Amino acid sequence: MSMELQLIDTIFFSDKRKNLLLFLKNGPKTIEEIKTELEVSSSPIMAQIRILIKDGLLVQKDDSYELSVKGKLIVPKMEPLLSTFRIFDENHDYWARQDLRTLPPHLLDRIGELGKCMELVPDRTHIFDYPPEIMDPLYRSKTVMEVSSFFRPGYPGLYLDLANKGIEVSLVLERPIYRKLVTDYRQEVEEFINMGNTQIFICDNKIELASSLVTDRFISISMISKDGRYYNHEMVSFEKSALEWGKELFNYYRDLSEQITQI
Amino acid sequence: MQPELIDIVFRSQKRRDLLLLLGEEPRTMEDIKILLDVSPTAILPQIKRLTDSNLVIQKNGSYELTDMGEQVFKKVRSLVDVLTLVEKNDYWTEHDLGGIPQYLLDRIGDLKDCNLVKADPSQIFEPSTDLLKFFSSSLYLMVFSSFYRPEFLPLYSKLGRLESEVSLIFTESVLEKFLYNYERKIRKLSTMKNTELSVCKDGAKIAELIVSDRGMMVSLFDSQGRFYHEYMCCSESQAISWVRELFDFYKSRALKVEGEKSIDNFTCTSENGAFSESLLLSLH
């Protein structure tokens, strides 16, 4: 039914070749640049370069190597594939367990941009708090954006505290969570809303994620599993592409919400 | 420890085919046997590898992709389409793709089912009857042409009379030549309700595009601008929509020739052979 596809071996089943192709995506490179970037010596990499040239993926121009037309069609498709595979490989059971459809489809398609993630699970005494590993970077952030469909007891105090330290804090909350906050912590919410560096948005759509916290330093998301259950955890990434991804996630929900300027 | 996805998907062609098959829709074992032409004993261990890796799940007697499988499928599909395209033949990589905007190059894998049609050397300058026949009963027809092909005129007129939507883009020299030889016919075409005529600057990097509900054809120049009387064609819906988008790209950059007056502009300039630049929008 399908073709054999000789090139799969060439592009995937040698790390040297794979990394070289991805490196050359940024433009032509000399052999010296290649050796430095990939930390390889001449003869092993030359053997791989010859294979790539023979398969028509690379061409030599003067003293540098660059992707051929064929290479330029193929390599851009390798990157999203490899980054998606990598994120799933690194936390296979986690992603297999979660309901991925709780993410907006256009961001799910780019889930590889989360890059290297680690799952943090709080110990029992701090089961409702953010894990200590992210409290420090949280306080060192300049902006903090959170989307949340559930209520953490720490919310009013934590966010007020962050805002008081001059950090810009924006929150998108589902309406029931907002109501609960107002009922239980009216004074804090009022104080928070009246500050110049804070924003609260109320979302009437279902926020299907448990929560997503994104700052200029890290992203931390928490998801519901396929059987609809939730356990307290944070999936954290510090990579630049992940912060951009997280900002888009926040904006997605913010655009569905209305801003509250008074209680 | 789970094996890496790259090995799960690409170390076995059976597993790769299975993933791509289930990406279309859930399938029963019967479907899989027929569509992949395999025996259950050969395919079951591969299905097991995919279910163990959480890419596939068995539900109500059929196999389907999990959320994770769906993501993996999408990435594999778009890479495999491009690999299929370039491994099938060298047409795309040996021709100048400079006339294709980036957003369509990103989806060039949509053309993977195209086949190369070579001209019969004895008929290289004869009217292309195969193409004429192929497109003759189209419900709509879009043509972009850097060539003067008078043999297509009757087709345009016929489809126009049959009330099929016909949209034509010619380069300025081609339009000039048409007007020189077939002024009445072209004037008539341009006034028909369901036909549209546009003109773009010479030097377009696409030789020819024809697309209709029946299928599509594309021909390109090589990097030196040479044309080899070959074209790529197929009837798959993905390829049809791709070419329609490419046509729309050129149409949005072309000047619509509307009414007698604008035709006059082109006829009078054709005598002294020069065009007023202001008439034409730049292609790029």
Side-chain angles (χ1 to χ4, degrees), chain A residues 111-201:
Chain A
I111 196 162
E113 292 175 22
L114 282 174
K116 192 165 184 53
C117 290
M118 56 184 163
E119 189 187 1
L120 302 176
V121 180
D123 59 38
R124 291 181 183 195
T125 50
H126 295 97
I127 207 139
F128 296 113
D129 296 336
Y130 278 122
E133 291 94 327
I134 62 173
M135 287 310 274
D136 177 53
L138 181 61
Y139 270 91
R140 291 207 272 140
S141 300
K142 292 193 188 73
T143 58
V144 170
M145 295 179 275
E146 168 141 2
V147 175
S148 185
S149 66
F150 74 145
F151 184 80
R152 292 180 203 258
Y155 273 164
L158 174 66
Y159 288 112
L160 201 51
D161 195 33
L162 289 169
N164 275 322
K165 295 206 153 52
I167 298 169
E168 295 206 21
V169 183
S170 307
L171 304 176
V172 173
L173 303 172
E174 266 190 21
R175 192 172 291 278
I177 308 299
Y178 173 71
R179 287 223 185 92
K180 185 169 164 62
L181 265 176
V182 172
T183 313
D184 295 355
Y185 303 92
R186 194 182 179 90
Q187 200 189 329
E188 284 93 333
V189 176
E190 204 148 26
E191 189 185 340
F192 183 84
I193 290 180
N194 290 330
M195 294 180 77
N197 54 337
T198 60
Q199 288 179 306
I200 293 192
F201 300 87

Side-chain angles (χ1 to χ4, degrees), chain A residues 2-46:
Chain A
S2 74
M3 291 180 48
E4 209 178 312
L5 301 181
Q6 310 289 345
L7 287 172
I8 282 180
D9 270 1
T10 315
I11 62 177
F12 285 138
F13 295 139
S14 143
D15 282 343
K16 283 201 190 75
R17 287 197 297 266
K18 184 178 74 188
N19 294 336
L20 178 59
L21 289 171
L22 295 175
F23 181 49
L24 291 180
K25 187 170 174 268
N26 312 319
K29 304 286 176 197
T30 64
I31 187 70
E32 286 311 314
E33 291 172 308
I34 291 168
K35 277 160 58 186
T36 315
E37 169 74 18
L38 304 184
E39 297 177 353
V40 285
S41 53
S42 284
S43 64
I45 198 68
M46 277 314 299

Side-chain angles (χ1 to χ4, degrees), chain B residues 204-257:
Chain B
K205 286 193 171 176
I206 304 275
E208 198 161 37
L209 296 177
I210 306 179
V211 57
S212 87
D213 51 300
R214 305 284 322 277
M216 53 68 78
M217 73 78 90
V218 177
S219 63
L220 302 171
F221 300 104
D222 79 358
S223 53
Q224 261 73 51
R226 286 181 294 234
F227 181 72
Y228 287 96
H229 298 271
E230 301 172 340
Y231 60 88
M232 295 297 271
C233 107
C234 81
S235 301
E236 293 295 321
S237 61
Q238 266 188 325
I240 290 178
S241 359
W242 191 96
V243 178
R244 285 186 63 150
E245 284 185 53
L246 183 58
F247 181 85
D248 288 341
F249 173 84
Y250 277 93
K251 198 167 121 187
S252 68
R253 280 157 179 76
L255 179 76
K256 200 164 166 193
V257 180

Side-chain angles (χ1 to χ4, degrees), chain A residues 1-8 12-13 77 81 84-85 88-89 92 96 99-101 108-109, chain B residues 2 4-6 10-11 13 16-17 36 53-54 67-68 71-72 74-75 79 83-84 87 106:
Chain A
M1 108 171 234
S2 74
M3 291 180 48
E4 209 178 312
L5 301 181
Q6 310 289 345
L7 287 172
I8 282 180
F12 285 138
F13 295 139
K77 306 291 174 198
L81 182 144
T84 304
F85 281 23
F88 288 154
D89 281 338
H92 190 101
D99 183 358
L100 301 184
R101 287 161 207 242
L108 176 57
D109 282 343
Chain B
Q2 285 281 353
E4 291 195 359
L5 287 172
I6 202 110
F10 289 118
R11 290 277 183 198
Q13 193 178 340
R16 192 181 83 213
D17 287 348
L36 295 186
S53 303
N54 306 106
D67 291 354
M68 201 159 111
Q71 268 313 302
V72 168
K74 283 191 190 177
K75 305 299 185 282
L79 176 75
L83 291 176
T84 307
E87 291 201 24
D106 289 344

Side-chain angles (χ1 to χ4, degrees), chain B residues 151-164:
Chain B
E151 74 266 25
F152 269 67
L153 264 186
L155 172 65
Y156 307 151
S157 308
K158 185 188 115 194
L159 291 178
R161 276 197 308 276
L162 292 174
E163 303 192 338
S164 304

